[in-house]
Amino acid sequence: MHWADVAANALSHKGAKHIVSTGITPSGEFHIGHLREILTGDMIARAARNAGLDVEFVFIVDTADPLRKVYDFLGPEYEQFVGHQLGSIPGPDKDGNPDWTRFENEGWTYGDHFLKPFLQALEQIGVRPRIIDNLESYQNGRFDALSKTACDKREDIREAIERISGRELAEDWFPWSPLDSKGSLDGVTVTGYEYPLVHWKDSHGIEGSSNLTKGEGKLPWRIDWPAKWGWIGVTCEPFGKDHGAAGGSYATGREIVQILGHEPPHPLTYEWISLKGQGAMSSSAGNTIGPIEALELVPPEILRLLVAKSKPNKAIEFDTGMSLVNLADEYERLAARDFSTELADEELSRRQRVQIEDAAGAMRMAVVQEGETAEATAVTFRHLALLAQTKSTDSGVWDSLRKAGAIAEPTQALIDRLDRMRSWIASKHFPLEMKISVLEAPHAQALAALDEDEQRVLEALASKLAICTWDAEHIGAAIPQTAKDLDCSPKSGYRAAYAALMGKERGPRLAPILAEMDQGTICALLNDCVKSLQQS
RNA sequence: GGGCCUGUAGCUCAGUCAGGUAGAGCGUCGGACUUUUAAUCCGAUGGUCGCGGGUUCGAACCCCGUCAGGCCCGCCA
């Protein structure tokens, strides 16, 4: 069973109606790692729907969280906002300074700045959660009743946190963080409580009162989370391994939510996605790949497959080079399989059966449109990468594929894919390994590997290509024909050509590549190769 | 200090919850294709399941210990 189905199965034992929740703090650029949170939730919800449950998927944006520090991508002016809530301060402009104009005219906040592009990416990926803005929820009184309970039962909560996390809370700890006289959550001391007011004294020596029902402050994280479960009615939530560890916020949350009078949701801990060779992604370290950026390179179903194919407790190493090519090709292979026929085979061992079921499950989760069956495009990414590099126009690519009998007419999916392929090739992410390059000077080692026949073929090829009509068709015919004229196998023609032009034993189809290049240059290179062979 | 996760073929991983002859995909190698040679098809190759003990007729799987990597016990997906 696919991991999402396992989770859905667990939910089905607890009831028929469910709310699967996810949440992210919009403190910086969203990246692929955040996508795992959202996609994990989306896939559980999808699996639960498949299992006939009534399920809603929500995404809580933690706009009530404070700005922790002036990140590297922010200008020094943000110093004044440290401790202020992300949903109440202006977003950065392109220089990293507060964009007051948009803030005052459109109410464009720091949270919006990072959230909106992410939501656009989610749309493309086929994820459409109900968005809950946490700061608004506080201001609209959603947390009112639960905040009151938390303040009333603060000793029970304190005991739970101290026991489970093993840390000691300060004497003046209080389960409500009031906003101070300047709107910051930092450095405020609670001096008293009479519902709905929490009295405080701030770091400037000013005293005041915070109204719980109006969101003039927030619950600290370890209480904020279970309180959300409570008022939203969350029954299932995936979260990163940081929250999942013993003594972590899920462990305290599951007890606190009961103190608040609700049941804890079904948990699912997932591992991080790291960027190959660079450790965990972190916005401030700048080693991130955003979902938008990734979507310029590959279609959304491939990003979905990345998350769908790995069990949540497996760390994922991501990179935009060869791993992405392999992932994309894997998608194609999976799309081409007929799982129901495979499963009909009664000879299958239990193990083989599980493997096929998991692959089928992963594909159900990977397709963008729920319920659709993935369609193989009949062209692997490798092949498309090749065509995109050798054909300067799209119609050239389609002609080649038609001639090969791979397609009749390009589908929208394929057109779309070629677009992304072209931007991938143009980007810094495209792997060198996939790049087609013709040598500029003879490659002695590769030439030395040729046997006598192949060397003769190379010589003949040099003169033959010099008089060849310079188009793909004629070049393509000339290579094997030259070999045959000398009573050698067509293979020796290719071997000779690859050794001379690319310094390798094999490679991509030569003819279309050569046709795009200058005949004189190619022939000069071939002649140089012949000369270097004669000298040795 | 306490706790969690991971360790299985060259690589990525299934299989561990319900113990019963080690599984996939990729890669590699070989063959086919008289001409799309990074393609496609067919075939083969490949593992003392991190290590040591224990329980059992039988252990990758359960128990104890141990090593290695990652993470948590302020905040972080």
Side-chain angles (χ1 to χ4, degrees):
Chain A
M1 227 193 315
H2 187 262
W3 58 261
D5 294 318
V6 172
N9 190 35
L11 293 184
S12 72
H13 294 306
K14 296 186 177 178
K17 199 168 161 21
H18 289 277
I19 294 181
V20 177
S21 171
T22 55
I24 301 175
T25 303
S27 54
E29 198 100 32
F30 283 71
H31 51 69
I32 293 283
H34 293 109
L35 210 51
R36 190 170 204 178
E37 162 99 8
I38 298 288
L39 283 177
T40 303
D42 179 64
M43 287 170 190
I44 294 169
R46 185 179 281 195
R49 268 193 295 276
N50 290 342
L53 302 178
D54 175 6
V55 52
E56 187 184 19
F57 177 48
V58 305
F59 170 23
I60 302 165
V61 187
D62 282 325
T63 45
D65 288 0
L67 183 71
R68 306 247 167 236
K69 61 171 189 173
V70 181
Y71 300 106
D72 293 345
F73 53 85
L74 296 176
E77 286 179 53
Y78 269 96
E79 193 57 54
Q80 62 182 307
F81 295 125
V82 172
H84 292 235
Q85 295 179 294
L86 300 174
S88 66
I89 58 175
D93 61 19
K94 50 185 188 313
D95 300 319
N97 294 315
D99 190 339
W100 286 106
T101 321
R102 279 194 93 180
F103 183 63
E104 276 154 17
N105 297 342
E106 305 166 39
W108 185 257
T109 68
Y110 188 99
D112 293 326
H113 177 83
F114 294 108
L115 178 66
K116 289 292 147 65
F118 186 63
L119 291 181
Q120 282 167 18
L122 288 186
E123 179 71 24
Q124 281 192 60
I125 295 170
V127 180
R128 293 179 189 83
R130 179 178 133 213
I131 310 284
I132 296 179
D133 183 303
N134 210 37
L135 182 60
E136 267 176 32
S137 304
Y138 271 103
Q139 290 167 346
N140 295 339
R142 303 281 186 187
F143 283 88
D144 176 13
L146 291 159
S147 301
K148 177 175 188 298
T149 311
C151 293
D152 292 343
K153 298 191 172 173
R154 57 186 177 275
E155 288 315 313
D156 294 348
I157 292 175
R158 173 200 288 274
E159 187 279 324
I161 293 177
E162 292 190 330
R163 172 170 42 83
I164 298 165
S165 75
R167 72 184 163 114
E168 210 170 303
L169 295 176
E171 196 53 40
D172 59 0
W173 175 88
F174 194 81
W176 179 263
S177 303
L179 288 172
D180 73 2
S181 55
K182 301 229 165 121
S184 168
L185 292 163
D186 290 348
V188 189
T189 310
V190 171
T191 54
Y193 164 63
E194 313 158 76
Y195 180 83
L197 300 178
V198 174
H199 306 299
W200 49 261
K201 183 173 181 185
D202 71 13
S203 52
H204 314 285
I206 298 172
E207 298 189 13
S209 298
S210 163
N211 189 326
L212 290 182
T213 67
K214 295 184 179 162
E216 293 168 353
K218 75 182 285 277
L219 297 163
W221 165 245
R222 280 181 185 258
I223 306 165
D224 171 87
W225 199 20
K228 284 172 193 156
W229 298 337
W231 77 259
I232 297 169
V234 176
T235 58
C236 175
E237 178 152 350
F239 44 82
K241 60 176 175 180
D242 48 336
H243 294 313
S249 47
Y250 181 76
T252 50
R254 66 177 303 153
E255 280 205 23
I256 293 171
V257 75
Q258 290 174 77
I259 295 172
L260 300 180
H262 294 270
E263 283 307 303
H266 180 78
L268 197 149
T269 314
Y270 60 86
E271 256 283 356
W272 309 115
I273 296 181
S274 62
L275 219 45
K276 209 164 216 163
Q278 297 184 52
M281 280 190 215
S282 147
S283 309
S284 45
N287 62 343
T288 62
I289 298 291
I292 299 276
E293 198 177 350
L295 283 169
E296 281 166 10
L297 313 179
V298 292
E301 56 270 22
I302 284 165
L303 290 183
R304 293 189 65 111
L305 180 65
L306 178 73
V307 173
K309 73 166 196 156
S310 299
K311 299 215 293 192
N313 65 358
K314 287 285 180 185
I316 295 178
E317 273 208 350
F318 181 78
D319 77 83
T320 48
M322 282 315 289
S323 319
L324 209 45
V325 177
N326 291 331
L327 184 66
D329 280 347
E330 186 177 356
Y331 181 87
E332 281 303 311
R333 279 194 302 272
L334 288 169
R337 285 169 65 179
D338 177 357
F339 297 114
S340 50
T341 305
E342 288 181 39
L343 287 170
D345 183 353
E346 311 223 328
E347 302 286 295
L348 292 175
S349 69
R350 177 170 154 244
R351 237 167 239 176
Q352 290 169 315
R353 188 167 294 276
V354 166
Q355 248 157 4
I356 297 169
E357 282 171 358
D358 278 357
M363 284 306 273
R364 253 200 328 276
M365 295 303 152
V367 292
V368 171
Q369 201 59 46
E370 184 167 351
E372 280 188 1
T373 312
E375 245 176 88
T377 53
V379 187
T380 63
F381 255 60
R382 281 191 150 77
H383 193 52
L384 192 63
L386 187 78
L387 291 174
Q389 287 179 91
T390 53
K391 307 285 179 187
S392 43
T393 65
D394 288 5
S395 60
V397 173
W398 310 136
D399 284 346
S400 163
L401 287 170
R402 262 194 293 266
K403 243 166 60 189
I407 59 164
E409 283 309 312
T411 58
Q412 189 53 47
L414 207 48
I415 292 171
D416 191 53
R417 192 163 293 192
L418 179 59
D419 266 355
R420 295 184 210 259
M421 182 58 77
R422 289 203 187 281
S423 62
W424 192 7
I425 291 166
S427 80
K428 61 178 182 188
H429 302 295
F430 193 69
L432 271 180
E433 220 180 311
M434 297 283 292
K435 219 157 226 164
I436 292 174
S437 58
V438 173
L439 293 176
E440 288 181 1
H443 190 285
Q445 233 178 334
L447 292 173
L450 296 178
D451 64 24
E452 268 180 45
D453 278 351
E454 287 157 358
Q455 294 188 10
R456 273 169 49 224
V457 173
L458 178 58
E459 229 178 295
L461 202 55
S463 32
K464 189 126 186 184
L465 285 182
I467 53 166
C468 177
T469 309
W470 206 247
D471 63 34
E473 199 180 330
H474 287 89
I475 299 169
I479 297 172
Q481 193 56 49
T482 306
K484 281 199 243 175
D485 288 347
L486 294 172
D487 276 332
C488 296
S489 73
K491 199 172 186 171
S492 56
Y494 287 111
R495 278 183 174 281
Y498 283 117
L501 298 170
M502 296 188 155
K504 299 182 199 167
E505 275 187 52
R506 29 177 28 194
R509 284 172 63 209
L510 275 173
I513 300 166
L514 298 185
E516 299 276 332
M517 299 190 67
D518 176 58
Q519 185 168 17
T521 313
I522 296 299
C523 291
L525 174 58
L526 287 174
N527 284 322
D528 286 349
C529 288
V530 172
K531 266 185 232 157
S532 106
L533 273 174
Q534 283 163 351
Q535 283 165 9
S536 61

